[in-house]
Amino acid sequence: MAELIFLIVCLGGATGLALNRAPLWAWAVAVAAATIAVKLGLASGELSWPGSGFLSFIGWIPAVVLGALSYEPFRRAALVQPVFKGIQKILPRISATEQEALDAGTVGWDAELFSGQPDWSKLKAVAPIVLTDEERAFLDGPTEDLCKMLDDWEIRHKERDIPEKVWNFVRAKGFLGMLISKDHGGLGFSPQAQSLILGKIASKSPDAVTIVMVPNSLGPGELIEKYGTPEQKEYYLPRLAQGKEIPCFALTGPTSGSDAATMRDVGFVCKGMHEGEETLGIKITWDKRYISLGPNATLLGLAFQLLDPDNLLGKGENIGITLALIPTDHPGVEIGRRHLPGGAAFPNGPNWGHDVFIPMSAVIGGVDRLGQGWRMLMSCLSAGRSISLPASSAAGIKSMLRATTAYARIRKQFGISIGRMEGIEEPLARIVEQAYVCEAGRAVTASMVAGGEKPAVISALLKYQSTERMRQCVNDAMDIHGGKAICDGPSNYIQGAYQMVPVGITVEGANILTRTLITFSQGALRSHPWLYREIQAVQDPDQDRGLRAFEEAFDGHIAFVAANVFGSLFHNVTGGLFASAPDHAFDTAGWYKQLARSSRTFALVADMTIALLGGGLKVKQKITGRLADALSELYLLSCVLKRYEDDGQPIQDAKIIEYCARNSLYRFQEAIRGVLDNFPIRWAGWLLRPLVFPLGARRRPASDQLGKEIVRLAMQPGEVRDRLTRDIFITNDVNQPTGLLEVTLVKVIEAEVAEKKLEKGIRDGRVRRYHGRDWIADAAENYVITEEEAKLLKETEALVARVIAVDHFDAAELVPHYQSDKVESAAAAE
C-alpha cells in the first residue's frame, strides 16, 4: 500500500511540475527528494518492492544531470548548441512559396488549440453575428429580391447561363462591389455581411451566386484594394464596384494547380511599344484554365513568373511570381470557349496569350510589388477562403435541411411519414448536425476575419470540412427524396446543389490536398507555440543571434513537451474532470472540459509527430490528413459552443449541442487513434497510446434516441427549425418548389387529426381507397370525418400530390437549345 501511495505522490508531483512549466532546478530537487524518500523508506521497511535498492542509487543520476542542465552555460554547451548544429545540417530550407504562404496569414484560435491550454477568453472575445442597419437592409431587401428573380431551372437547363437581367440587377444594386470600400464607390460591407449575402443567394441558385462570389473573393478587386497603386485604385475600383468591369483571376494552368512553384506562365522584363511610345514593361506568355467568370470578363488578373534576364530592374534575374491587370481586349489576349464544370451554368473557361506586352503600370501595386504575387495571393486567400465557400456550403446544408425535413414529414410510406422511420432519421440527424456545425463555423470564422484576422490554417480546414459536409448532406437529401431528387426539372430543388458540389470540393485548393498537405503542415509551423521560432532561429544567417533565439524557443519547447505528456495522462485518466472551462459556461461546462482535454491530447500527438517525422511529414499524408481532421473537430466544436452562447443558450437547442459534441469528440478520438495505429515509428505509437488512451478509446457517437429527438425538433415548424435554417431564402409562394413545401408542411400538420380518422375508417372497412373513387367524400358521407375535415384533407391531398410529383417532358424539350436551333435552321433550309 505504501508503495502505491508513493507512486501516486511522485506522479502527482511530476504532473504539477510539468503543468506549471517548472524550471530544471525544481525537477532536480524533486528527483533528489524522491530518491532520498526511497532510501529512507527502505531503511524503515516501509518500501520493499524488488529493485528498490538499485532505484535509490540510480535516482541520483537524473537528479545530477537535471541539476547540471539547470546551469545555463553548461546547458547551452552540452545540449542546446549540439541540437542547434544538428538541426541546421538536416533541416531543409523552406521554399520561397512556402515562406510567403506562412507569412501571409495570421494565427488565432488555432494556436490556442495547438497549445493544449486554450484560453477561453479569446474565444469569447470573437464577436457574435453583428450587421449594421445598412447591411441587414441589403440582406432583407436587394438580396431577397435577387433570390426571387432567380429561376434555377432556367439557369441550369434552358439558358445554361446567367440571364442578362440578373447581371444587370447585381450591377445596379452594387453586389459586385461588396468588399470595395465606400471611398472607392463600393458598399464596404463587413466579411460577416458578405458571408450572409452570398449564402442567401447560394440557397436559391448555386450558379448565380458565383457571379457575385468571384468579384468579392480572391480577385482583382480585393488585390487592388489592398495592394494597388493610387492610380489603379482610383480608376479600377469604382468601375468594378459599379459592374462596368467584370473581373476574373487567372492562376491555375494545365501544369500548375496546387503546386504554384511549377507555374510555366512567364513574363520577361523588356522594352516595348505601348500607346505609341517605347516603355519598360513585361512580355508575357501564359496558358490558364478553370477561370471563373473568364468568358464574361473585361478585366483579367494574371499570375506569372517574372524573369529579368538583362537585369533591367537591378534586382537579379529571378524576380518571382507577379500579378498584373490586363483588359481582355488588350492585343494578344485570347479568351477561350467555356468549360462545363459538373454541368453547372456559371461562366468558366480558359484564356491564354503569347508574347503579350504590358507596361509596368499594369502590375498590381506597381514596380514595388514585383515578385510579391504569391504573398499577396495567400494573404487574400486566407480571408477569401474563410468567407465564400463556407458561406455557400453552410447555406446549402441549411437548404437541404429545410427542404428535406419538410419532405420527410409530408411524404408517407407504410402509413407514416418517412421522417419517422429510423432508416430516414439517421441521415436526417446528420443533416441537422451539419447545419448547426457548419453555420457555427461560418459565423465564428467570418467574425474573426471582420476583426482583422487572416486565418490561414482555419480557412483551409473550414474550406475542406464545410464542402465535404455539404457533399454528405446533399447525398443524404438525394437518398431521402429518392426518385423525386433524381428526376430533374423545374420542381427539383436539389439537382442544382448536387451539380455544384464537386466544384466546391475542387476549387480554392482541392480538398484532398488541402486536408493532407496544407492544413496540418501549415498549422504545425504557424500555430505551434515554439516550432516556427525554432526553425527561424536555425535558419538565421547570424549564428550567435540564431543560437540565442533557438535556446529560448528550445527551452520553451521542452517544457511544452513535459506539460503535454503529464497533462494528457492526467486529464485522460480523470476523464477531463479537472480540465479548464470558462466561468460563463453553465450548461456547456462539461463540453468545454472535454474540449480542453482533447486539445491537450492533440498538442501531445501533434508535437511528437512533428518531432519524430520532421521533413517526412510531407510524404506521410495519411497521418497529416488524420491530424487535420482532429484539429478540425476541435475547431468546429469550439464554434458550436460559442454559437450556442451567442444565441442566448436556448434550452430547445441543448440536445442539438449534445448531439454535435458527442459526435465531434468521437470523430476526434478516431482520428487520433488512426494516427497511433499507423504511426510510422512503431515504438513511438506504443509509447503514446497509454498517455492518450490510458483507459482505452471509450468515447461513443451520439445515441439513436438523441438523433430521433433532434430530427423531431427539425421537422416541427417553430423556433428551432427557423434557427437551424436562418438567413437562407425562404418563401411561401406555392409556385416555387420550396414555397410549396413550406405551405404543404403546415397543411399536413393541420390535417393530421382528420387523417388519423380517415386511416381508421379505411382499416375498419368503412372507406375504400383506390384510384377512380373519391374516398374522402365517402368518408364524410359515412361520418368518418366532418365536412370541414374533408375539405381540409382534399386541400392537403392536392398540395401533397404537387409536392411528390416529378417533371416529365417531350423529347424535343430535352434537346439542348443550340442543337434545337440547328434543327430549326435545317428545317427552314429544306
Side-chain angles (χ1 to χ4, degrees):
M1 186 63 179
E3 291 85 351
L4 179 60
I5 293 173
F6 177 76
L7 288 174
I8 292 174
V9 170
C10 288
L11 184 59
T15 301
L17 289 170
L19 293 181
N20 287 286
R21 311 286 173 92
L24 286 175
W25 65 262
W27 283 93
V29 170
V31 173
T35 304
I36 292 171
V38 170
K39 191 171 185 64
L40 293 175
L42 289 172
S44 65
E46 292 290 333
L47 299 177
S48 59
W49 62 69
S52 52
F54 176 73
L55 181 62
S56 67
F57 169 75
I58 202 71
W60 288 108
I61 295 176
V64 171
V65 170
L66 289 169
L69 289 175
S70 66
Y71 180 58
E72 188 173 309
F74 177 78
R75 182 175 69 253
R76 183 180 299 121
L79 179 63
V80 177
Q81 196 162 27
V83 173
F84 178 73
K85 296 291 186 183
I87 293 176
Q88 276 186 324
K89 293 178 181 178
I90 64 173
L91 183 69
R93 294 200 68 84
I94 299 173
S95 70
T97 53
E98 287 175 323
Q99 186 65 56
E100 288 175 345
L102 289 169
D103 293 341
T106 60
V107 295
W109 188 244
D110 48 325
E112 295 300 313
L113 296 173
F114 262 92
S115 75
Q117 291 180 290
D119 182 348
W120 302 121
S121 65
K122 293 183 178 179
L123 182 63
K124 184 175 175 58
V126 177
I129 297 176
V130 177
L131 299 183
T132 65
D133 292 342
E134 181 186 7
E135 290 169 342
R136 176 55 68 179
F138 193 90
L139 182 64
D140 295 338
T143 308
E144 182 83 4
D145 294 338
L146 175 59
C147 289
K148 291 176 181 177
M149 179 188 300
L150 298 172
D151 184 330
D152 187 54
W153 175 248
E154 178 188 20
I155 292 170
R156 288 192 297 109
H157 180 77
K158 291 185 177 180
E159 298 296 329
R160 285 284 178 94
D161 205 350
I162 308 300
E164 192 61 30
K165 66 179 181 180
V166 175
W167 277 106
N168 291 337
F169 185 84
V170 299
R171 286 189 183 102
K173 298 298 181 180
F175 280 92
L176 304 185
M178 291 193 295
L179 66 72
I180 296 173
S181 66
K182 292 180 182 292
D183 292 342
H184 293 112
L187 296 177
F189 283 170
S190 67
Q192 189 69 260
Q194 294 174 47
S195 177
L196 289 172
I197 290 165
L198 291 173
K200 191 166 190 175
I201 301 169
S203 70
K204 182 63 186 296
S205 172
D207 279 297
V209 73
T210 308
I211 71 169
V212 178
M213 182 187 298
V214 172
N216 289 288
S217 186
L218 176 62
E222 186 177 14
L223 289 164
I224 297 169
E225 182 85 34
K226 291 184 177 179
Y227 302 108
T229 64
E231 295 78 14
Q232 289 169 344
K233 292 179 180 180
E234 182 179 353
Y235 179 75
Y236 281 116
L237 290 179
R239 294 177 60 81
L240 288 166
Q242 298 162 20
K244 293 180 179 178
E245 300 279 5
I246 301 299
C248 71
F249 192 83
L251 174 62
T252 304
T255 62
S256 57
S258 300
D259 185 6
T262 63
M263 188 182 296
R264 298 178 185 177
D265 312 291
V266 63
F268 295 94
V269 178
C270 62
K271 291 186 176 181
M273 300 300 295
H274 178 68
E275 296 180 348
E277 296 183 3
E278 186 179 61
T279 183
L280 185 66
I282 304 170
K283 187 177 289 186
I284 314 173
T285 296
W286 76 90
D287 182 14
K288 303 289 190 180
R289 64 181 182 181
Y290 308 149
I291 310 306
S292 294
L293 300 196
N296 294 57
T298 61
L299 182 64
L300 172 67
L302 183 67
F304 58 92
Q305 293 279 6
L306 179 61
L307 300 176
D308 185 5
D310 298 324
N311 200 22
L312 297 176
L313 299 172
K315 298 180 179 181
E317 180 177 359
N318 295 310
I319 305 298
I321 295 175
T322 299
L323 312 180
L325 296 167
I326 310 175
T328 55
D329 60 1
H330 187 81
V333 176
E334 297 288 343
I335 301 297
R337 298 184 298 172
R338 289 180 54 167
H339 299 312
L340 190 59
F346 70 93
N348 183 282
N351 62 73
W352 60 89
H354 182 73
D355 287 344
V356 177
F357 182 80
I358 62 170
M360 284 294 175
S361 60
V363 174
I364 298 178
V367 175
D368 292 341
R369 292 290 180 182
L370 290 172
Q372 296 184 28
W374 195 245
R375 178 176 298 184
M376 294 157 63
L377 285 173
M378 291 300 101
S379 177
C380 292
L381 181 63
S382 294
R385 191 162 54 184
S386 301
I387 302 300
S388 299
L389 289 172
S392 57
S393 296
I397 295 170
K398 289 185 286 186
S399 296
M400 293 301 105
L401 173 63
R402 188 95 187 180
T404 308
T405 50
Y407 184 82
R409 182 82 182 258
I410 293 166
R411 184 71 163 121
K412 291 189 170 153
Q413 294 283 273
F414 307 106
I416 61 171
S417 296
I418 63 172
R420 298 187 184 276
M421 297 179 179
E422 288 197 353
I424 302 298
E425 278 178 354
E426 186 175 13
L428 280 177
R430 282 198 295 265
I431 301 176
V432 173
E433 176 189 1
Q434 300 313 331
Y436 196 97
V437 170
C438 290
E439 168 59 17
R442 180 212 65 77
V444 172
T445 308
S447 290
M448 290 176 177
V449 177
E453 292 188 36
K454 299 174 184 176
V457 176
I458 287 174
S459 68
L461 73 82
L462 189 62
K463 184 270 171 180
Y464 94 78
Q465 284 285 345
S466 62
T467 52
E468 285 292 344
R469 292 174 189 229
M470 168 67 170
R471 169 155 59 183
Q472 177 67 67
C473 290
V474 171
N475 286 341
D476 283 337
M478 290 284 290
D479 289 347
I480 292 168
H481 281 78
K484 171 71 176 177
I486 292 171
C487 295
D488 205 358
S491 65
N492 192 310
Y493 41 82
I494 295 179
Q495 274 287 336
Y498 188 75
Q499 287 180 303
M500 283 293 285
V501 160
V503 178
I505 297 289
T506 304
V507 300
E508 292 192 8
N511 282 7
I512 290 177
L513 294 181
T514 301
R515 173 179 177 266
T516 60
L517 279 177
I518 297 175
T519 302
F520 180 75
S521 297
Q522 278 196 4
L525 287 174
R526 295 293 283 123
S527 304
H528 191 285
W530 301 108
L531 182 63
Y532 193 41
R533 289 190 239 179
E534 289 170 321
I535 292 174
Q536 287 180 312
V538 166
Q539 297 188 342
D540 191 330
D542 186 325
Q543 290 289 297
D544 291 336
R545 183 178 61 194
L547 178 60
R548 288 194 301 272
F550 179 80
E551 182 175 22
E552 180 183 352
F554 183 71
D555 289 348
H557 199 160
I558 293 299
F560 177 69
V561 171
N564 288 334
V565 168
F566 287 97
S568 292
L569 179 61
F570 175 70
H571 288 308
N572 286 319
V573 167
T574 59
L577 182 63
F578 302 100
S580 66
D583 294 335
H584 62 269
F586 299 105
D587 298 345
T588 55
W591 299 124
Y592 274 109
K593 288 177 179 289
Q594 293 306 312
L595 183 54
R597 169 191 174 190
S598 299
S599 173
R600 181 72 78 176
T601 294
F602 176 78
L604 172 65
V605 175
D607 195 46
M608 291 298 99
T609 301
I610 295 163
L612 295 171
L613 299 186
L617 272 177
K618 287 186 177 181
V619 297
K620 296 300 180 184
Q621 294 159 19
K622 294 176 184 176
I623 296 294
T624 56
R626 292 186 183 104
L627 287 168
D629 291 342
L631 177 62
S632 298
E633 295 298 342
L634 297 182
Y635 177 72
L636 291 172
L637 180 54
S638 303
C639 294
V640 164
L641 297 176
K642 175 161 178 58
R643 173 186 174 175
Y644 183 56
E645 292 168 5
D646 290 346
D647 286 351
Q649 301 188 46
I651 190 63
Q652 306 98 316
D653 292 1
K655 291 186 182 297
I656 298 174
I657 302 304
E658 181 182 355
Y659 192 89
C660 294
R662 288 190 182 281
N663 283 343
S664 183
L665 291 168
Y666 175 73
R667 288 191 293 264
F668 171 83
Q669 170 189 277
E670 294 305 290
I672 294 296
R673 187 159 69 163
V675 171
L676 300 186
D677 286 347
N678 297 277
F679 206 78
I681 303 172
R682 296 308 304 142
W683 61 264
W686 295 333
L687 289 178
L688 284 171
R689 185 173 295 278
L691 300 175
V692 174
F693 301 122
L695 306 178
R698 301 173 64 85
R699 285 178 175 143
R700 297 294 179 265
S703 68
D704 292 347
Q705 179 60 34
L706 190 57
K708 179 191 291 289
E709 291 174 13
I710 68 170
V711 168
R712 296 295 170 87
L713 287 170
M715 289 199 301
Q716 181 64 36
E719 290 183 9
V720 175
R721 178 178 171 81
D722 290 342
R723 234 183 341 263
L724 283 168
T725 58
R726 64 191 179 197
D727 294 316
I728 63 171
F729 178 70
I730 298 172
T731 179
N732 288 315
D733 181 357
V734 295
N735 294 313
Q736 297 272 346
T738 55
L740 178 62
L741 276 174
E742 294 290 326
V743 172
T744 306
L745 174 62
V746 173
K747 191 67 74 171
V748 164
I749 294 171
E750 183 185 353
E752 281 181 346
V753 173
E755 188 173 23
K756 287 180 180 178
K757 293 181 181 180
L758 177 60
E759 291 294 333
K760 186 176 185 304
I762 292 169
R763 289 195 304 272
D764 293 344
R766 298 171 63 191
V767 180
R768 295 185 177 183
R769 179 169 55 191
Y770 49 82
H771 289 302
R773 188 178 185 93
D774 189 345
W775 59 84
I776 295 176
D778 288 348
E781 288 178 6
N782 292 324
Y783 302 104
V784 173
I785 55 176
T786 66
E787 292 293 339
E788 290 76 13
E789 289 172 331
K791 181 181 178 182
L792 175 60
L793 286 173
K794 284 193 174 185
E795 292 174 358
T796 305
E797 182 186 45
L799 288 170
V800 170
R802 290 179 61 188
V803 165
I804 66 175
V806 296
D807 299 292
H808 48 97
F809 307 89
D810 291 330
E813 293 181 82
L814 300 178
V815 177
H817 64 83
Y818 63 88
Q819 291 188 15
S820 179
D821 292 342
K822 288 181 180 180
V823 171
E824 290 178 5
S825 298
E830 292 177 359

